[in-house]
Amino acid sequence: MRQVAASGVRKGFRIGKETVYGYVMAAPAILGFFIFTLGPLIASLILSFTDYSITNDFRFIGVSNYKRLFSGEDSFFYKALSVTFYYVALAVPISLTAAFIMAMLLKNNVKGRAFFRSVFYLPSVVPVVATSTIFIWLLNPDIGLLNQILRFLHLPTSMWIYDEKTVIPTMAFMTVWTTGGTMLIFLAGLESIPEQYYEAVEIDGGRLWHKLTAVTLPMMTPTIFFNLIMGIITGFQSFSEAYIMTEGGPNNASLFYVLYLYREAFTHLRMGAACAIAWVLFVIIMILSALIFRSSRTWVYYEGDK
Amino acid sequence: MRSMRRIAVWLLMASMLVAIAGCGSTNRSGDEPASGTQNSRAASETANQSSGGKSDEKIHLRFTYWGSTYEKEVISKAIERFVNDTGISVEGIHIPSEYETKLTTMIAANDAPDVGYLGPPMAYKWYEDGKLANIKELFMTDASSKEEDFIEGVIVRKGDDIVGLMNNLESYALFYNKDAFEEAGVELPPTKPEEAWTWEEFIEVAKKLTIDNNGRNALDPDFDPNNVRQYGFNMDIWSGPIEALLLRNGTQYFPGKGDTTGINTPAFNQVLQNVADLMNVHHVMPSRVTAKSMPAPAVALQSRRYAMVLDGQWVCNDFANIEGLNYGVGVIPKMTSTTAVYSGALGVIFSSSKHPEEAWQFLKYITDPEISLELFRDGLWMPNRKAYYTDEEKISLWASPGPARVEGYRDVLVDPIVNDSEVTSEVYVKNFGDINNILFPALDQAWTGKKTVDEVMAEIMPKLEPLLEGSIK
């Protein structure tokens, strides 16, 4: 053994006990990644070129799964895409703004700050299924609380999730309810801004608005950037709300992309097609993320950068 | 020590192999009965022989099924009885929701059950994929069961093969709250098909039974359709009850199991428009949104939110158990015809089963009204054997008046099955699921009154046409 070790040293390798332990300790994570993430990832890429439906003896069919999507032969594909883009375009700015405002408010040294922080975070702890079920009742056009209040105030009521036009905006507004996690990250970002910057603004005669635009926003850009990326990714992957509340209706107006994928895979058992759909989503998210990353050079400010 | 690094690499490689093998094994399982019927028949034959060879070995069947908790109870009892009678052990696996998804994963894991329920479209698909056994041989060689014993559409075939047998039948009827009729002073719905209301008569009655918060009915000029206390009528909208109405107008998805579609013909669209008009023109049926906040049919009928509902006869089981519901059953109104529709889940045997003969025996057993009589008498099922519709003694076993089999049940639901009925499109129309997937979401626009049915159909026909491939023969 010693000789082997010695020869290892001579050749420039030195794998000590620590390294071995390192590998062993990391093995579960590494194995987990290979077996449960990379393996299925590769498998799904391969399967997206087949007509796999779990029970059949699958054949390779080239790019016909993809062709079927892009040619519009599967009429749900473009519908699901437009629904999801619309949702992301609404939900991400709404929830980011709401989370940011909440974080700003909760940063102030008000009485019971810890209490309010917990309260605003609380909805994020509730499972989406429970939230959605509650919202089904709140949004019911006949007996729901929201319309009752509107009627009481003699304001026009809405069909909320039961109308093609209002279903997506309604769901986008629902995200405000569960934006506690984003808020927490903003809060952490706000806390890390050094007080002296604000003091400097005060000395220069700046007001609240100047503090916000000259200190808070620039200092927060890395956090906003992170939340934006995460928001877009989770937005594209939205599923439960539509699955539970509308089943994609009315008239497919809330057919989220992942719901469409799920239906293709588990209702129609067209696994090959579903894999192709998943890969298209993967590419879309990748491109969007890349674009945002690229744009970040122009608007994200890291301390210490020039 | 360099070997350590190599070991790490090998470990990673091994893990990837495991992952790949995982995919491979499902592939291999697909290989076996790949070329369909002949192979699977051969497979089941060899399985027979091998099971005969080691007959002293304890036979164990796994059986998957869905249904309410009530159904689960009765089926569990039937399983117990079967085990006692035959000595074959059966493990019942109750899957109340996402049944086919669960079953698919079981098949993917090479862990398919021996025998189970299955919806017809999936049964055809899996039969083609070689996952289901052809039960023709079992059926033909079984002295105790003959083809003629069963109702015509119960035996589901593909070409010459038999894919499965409907475990039970279901059909549709009009159920109503007697008190609501009495209060409105309206005559009860007829029970004999030849006396069925016309659609106009039905609308008239439904209007008398639709009452707003001020107590005015829908015939009153001051009737307020926005604040309705009791709707005259309701039905769930999906292919089942819609098909019951389509047949009342002499059409279906593919009438007469042919290859010429009924979809988008005037008769077909008329039925759908009639339903839409019940909501938007006559206001006797709640909008789909309002209906969503209504309780289940039994409670809605009992609490007088509805006076009548069109529903499958399985609701009899719920209706019988609702306190204070004085309900009756009537025949569905006719447009041009009074043909009834029937459907039912299939019982199938999986090709991977090592004991297809015992599985067949089990299927026969649990669907036999003499064994699981409660399922029939308590309202959930209708028998799949002809004698229970023609032999007075056998009819009285399950359909004689009782809480779940009210007066008139026989006229409305039993006799039409043998006199004038068609099997549901679900068991023979190609792409049935895909067609409905396009049809029903689009029809939302007709139910809300934004578009006419003709307009909706014109819009979706280009998408539907490639799917209208006719009937499975």
Side-chain angles (χ1 to χ4, degrees):
Chain A
M1 268 312 253
R2 197 165 273 175
Q3 280 210 321
V4 176
S7 74
V9 172
R10 224 173 294 135
K11 283 189 178 166
F13 288 118
R14 194 194 177 86
I15 299 177
K17 246 186 186 164
E18 269 176 41
T19 320
V20 176
Y21 280 129
Y23 274 120
V24 171
M25 296 299 172
I30 296 170
L31 287 181
F33 171 75
F34 276 100
I35 298 172
F36 296 116
T37 305
L38 193 64
L41 206 69
I42 294 165
S44 87
L45 180 62
I46 296 167
L47 288 175
S48 74
F49 297 103
T50 69
D51 62 353
Y52 182 52
S53 69
I54 293 189
T55 52
N56 69 342
D57 193 20
F58 64 82
R59 288 175 304 127
F60 280 91
I61 50 169
V63 291
S64 22
N65 281 332
Y66 294 93
K67 226 160 86 186
R68 194 163 158 268
L69 297 181
F70 289 107
S71 69
E73 196 188 316
D74 182 346
S75 53
F76 296 116
F77 174 69
Y78 285 114
K79 179 75 194 177
L81 262 187
S82 67
V83 164
T84 312
F85 268 101
Y86 180 35
Y87 172 75
V88 171
L90 279 183
V92 173
I94 290 174
S95 68
L96 282 193
T97 316
F100 194 81
I101 293 171
M102 277 195 275
M104 295 276 284
L105 291 173
L106 290 176
K107 194 200 154 221
N108 292 330
N109 216 344
V110 288
K111 227 181 187 176
R113 186 166 74 154
F115 171 74
F116 283 116
R117 283 182 178 184
S118 321
V119 164
F120 280 103
Y121 186 67
L122 214 54
S124 308
V125 184
V126 180
V128 192
V129 179
T131 311
S132 302
T133 314
I134 294 166
F135 267 94
I136 290 177
W137 286 102
L138 290 177
L139 296 170
N140 185 293
D142 295 330
I143 53 171
L145 185 67
L146 278 175
N147 271 2
Q148 301 275 25
I149 293 171
L150 290 175
R151 258 181 232 126
F152 180 75
L153 299 172
H154 295 285
L155 290 170
T157 56
S158 168
M159 293 293 281
W160 305 113
I161 53 171
Y162 297 104
D163 187 276
E164 276 183 59
K165 289 202 184 72
T166 51
V167 58
I168 290 296
T170 306
M171 284 187 173
F173 270 102
M174 264 180 66
T175 57
V176 174
W177 182 250
T178 53
T179 198
T182 315
M183 176 200 80
L184 219 58
I185 297 170
F186 275 136
L187 206 52
L190 287 172
E191 297 283 357
S192 68
I193 300 173
E195 259 324 293
Q196 50 269 43
Y197 292 170
Y198 292 111
E199 283 162 15
V201 176
E202 270 169 36
I203 289 164
D204 289 345
R207 297 182 180 276
L208 208 63
W209 174 252
H210 300 116
K211 284 186 189 171
L212 179 70
T213 52
V215 180
T216 311
L217 279 179
M219 293 294 287
M220 285 295 284
T221 47
T223 322
I224 295 173
F225 171 61
F226 172 78
N227 278 334
L228 179 67
I229 294 260
M230 295 314 285
I232 285 176
I233 292 175
T234 49
F236 270 101
Q237 294 174 345
S238 296
F239 167 77
S240 317
E241 296 90 338
Y243 179 70
I244 296 159
M245 297 173 66
T246 61
E247 289 165 53
N251 192 19
N252 298 316
S254 62
L255 183 67
F256 282 151
Y257 195 85
V258 179
L259 180 62
Y260 161 60
L261 190 163
Y262 172 86
R263 228 166 58 175
E264 224 28 41
F266 295 105
T267 314
H268 307 306
L269 300 179
R270 288 192 279 257
M271 288 290 167
C275 287
I277 294 169
W279 273 89
V280 171
L281 178 65
F282 180 75
V283 170
I284 290 173
I285 291 180
M286 213 166 62
I287 291 174
L288 277 176
S289 304
L291 284 177
I292 297 168
F293 261 100
R294 180 155 289 190
S295 79
S296 74
R297 287 181 211 152
T298 61
W299 62 274
V300 176
Y301 168 76
Y302 289 103
E303 260 178 299
D305 274 10
K306 290 203 174 151
Chain B
M1 277 298 166
R2 195 172 8 161
S3 56
M4 278 303 167
R5 196 174 239 210
R6 223 175 276 155
I7 285 169
V9 171
W10 276 112
L11 268 175
L12 292 179
M13 294 267 284
S15 71
M16 281 184 81
L17 274 175
V18 169
I20 291 162
C23 308
S25 73
T26 50
N27 182 11
R28 228 170 296 134
S29 77
D31 265 336
E32 251 171 68
S35 47
T37 51
Q38 270 176 350
N39 270 355
S40 69
R41 195 181 301 162
S44 79
E45 267 163 27
T46 50
N48 279 350
Q49 281 157 13
S50 66
S51 77
K54 350 170 205 174
S55 58
D56 48 330
E57 205 177 288
K58 178 107 175 140
I59 293 168
H60 180 76
L61 293 177
R62 291 163 79 232
F63 163 62
T64 52
Y65 64 107
W66 65 69
S68 61
T69 39
Y70 169 81
E71 192 169 348
K72 186 184 170 199
E73 243 171 71
V74 180
I75 293 283
S76 305
K77 270 190 261 167
I79 292 174
E80 243 169 74
R81 242 172 294 158
F82 179 77
V83 174
N84 286 337
D85 285 1
T86 61
I88 298 166
S89 89
V90 179
E91 176 192 347
I93 305 168
H94 180 240
I95 306 172
S97 64
E98 310 239 2
Y99 181 84
E100 284 173 353
T101 307
K102 175 80 198 296
L103 224 54
T104 309
T105 55
M106 287 170 81
I107 292 175
N110 261 339
D111 191 33
D114 294 278
V115 52
Y117 290 10
L118 199 57
M122 199 56 88
Y124 280 116
K125 161 117 183 51
W126 286 355
Y127 189 74
E128 277 167 35
D129 293 343
K131 294 295 169 197
L132 300 185
N134 177 9
I135 56 178
K136 189 176 182 191
E137 207 115 332
L138 293 165
F139 193 69
M140 293 304 173
T141 53
D142 187 338
S144 66
S145 69
K146 286 193 285 302
E147 245 184 282
E148 316 80 85
D149 292 348
F150 292 88
I151 299 283
E152 157 75 15
V154 161
I155 303 166
V156 172
R157 298 163 198 280
K158 175 146 177 89
D160 220 18
D161 303 347
I162 298 178
V163 176
L165 249 62
M166 283 185 189
N167 292 320
N168 61 298
L169 300 193
E170 294 296 350
S171 190
Y172 295 84
L174 208 55
F175 297 93
Y176 58 90
N177 184 322
K178 279 187 179 166
D179 300 339
F181 273 75
E182 205 171 296
E183 207 170 277
V186 185
E187 215 175 304
L188 297 180
T191 57
K192 294 213 184 307
E194 56 273 20
E195 293 161 12
W197 284 329
T198 63
W199 193 255
E200 289 70 32
E201 285 169 332
F202 165 68
I203 291 171
E204 182 79 10
V205 171
K207 279 186 170 174
K208 285 182 191 160
L209 291 164
T210 303
I211 295 162
D212 70 10
N213 285 342
N214 299 317
R216 298 189 182 97
N217 72 26
L219 288 169
D220 196 307
D222 294 327
F223 171 73
D224 175 10
N226 293 320
N227 291 294
V228 175
R229 191 182 71 205
Q230 169 185 298
Y231 284 96
F233 175 75
N234 188 51
M235 64 185 280
D236 286 340
I237 290 183
W238 56 283
S239 62
I242 287 289
E243 194 175 23
L245 284 179
L246 286 173
L247 271 170
R248 281 339 215 211
N249 205 20
T251 188
Q252 267 181 298
Y253 285 46
F254 283 89
K257 299 189 191 177
D259 290 331
T260 317
T261 186
I263 295 174
N264 200 24
T265 57
F268 190 94
N269 293 4
Q270 184 60 51
V271 171
L272 300 175
Q273 190 62 55
N274 280 350
V275 174
D277 288 350
L278 290 179
M279 296 180 240
N280 304 313
V281 177
H282 308 299
H283 305 291
V284 297
M285 176 173 167
S287 72
R288 291 304 83 198
V289 177
T290 306
K292 267 195 184 143
S293 55
M294 291 287 190
V299 180
L301 216 56
Q302 188 261 349
S303 59
R304 302 272 292 269
R305 302 309 307 272
Y306 307 139
M308 297 182 275
V309 294
L310 174 89
D311 217 327
Q313 73 85 36
W314 59 83
V315 293
C316 291
N317 181 251
D318 282 342
F319 287 4
N321 292 319
I322 287 276
E323 205 78 25
L325 170 60
N326 184 15
Y327 81 99
V329 59
V331 70
I332 300 171
K334 68 171 179 193
M335 293 167 211
T336 59
S337 134
T338 54
T339 308
V341 67
Y342 62 89
S343 55
L346 303 189
V348 297
I349 296 170
F350 288 81
S351 55
S352 54
S353 172
K354 290 196 183 81
H355 312 289
E357 242 164 76
E358 288 76 10
W360 165 247
Q361 213 181 323
F362 175 74
L363 262 188
K364 260 191 344 188
Y365 191 91
I366 55 158
T367 59
D368 187 343
E370 277 171 36
I371 301 296
S372 31
L373 185 63
E374 298 104 304
L375 282 175
F376 301 89
R377 201 196 50 218
D378 293 353
L380 223 44
W381 284 8
M382 296 166 75
N384 61 7
R385 289 144 169 97
K386 240 184 233 164
Y388 287 87
Y389 295 84
T390 51
D391 182 334
E392 286 299 326
E393 206 173 301
K394 290 200 159 152
I395 294 174
S396 68
L397 267 183
W398 70 280
S400 59
R405 299 300 184 211
V406 291
E407 208 67 46
Y409 179 84
R410 186 171 165 185
D411 289 340
V412 177
L413 284 149
V414 181
D415 294 341
I417 297 290
V418 276
N419 292 340
D420 182 14
S421 66
E422 290 279 353
V423 70
T424 173
S425 311
E426 201 188 359
V427 303
Y428 63 83
V429 169
K430 288 183 186 165
N431 307 319
F432 189 72
D434 287 318
I435 293 171
N436 287 334
N437 246 330
I438 292 179
L439 184 61
F440 282 97
L443 282 171
D444 282 348
Q445 303 168 87
W447 310 142
T448 54
K450 278 187 195 143
K451 286 182 181 161
T452 66
V453 170
D454 284 333
E455 284 165 357
V456 172
M457 294 306 285
E459 214 176 88
I460 59 170
M461 271 321 271
K463 291 188 223 165
L464 276 179
E465 250 145 24
L467 297 170
L468 302 175
E469 295 184 300
S471 305
I472 296 166
K473 298 269 162 41

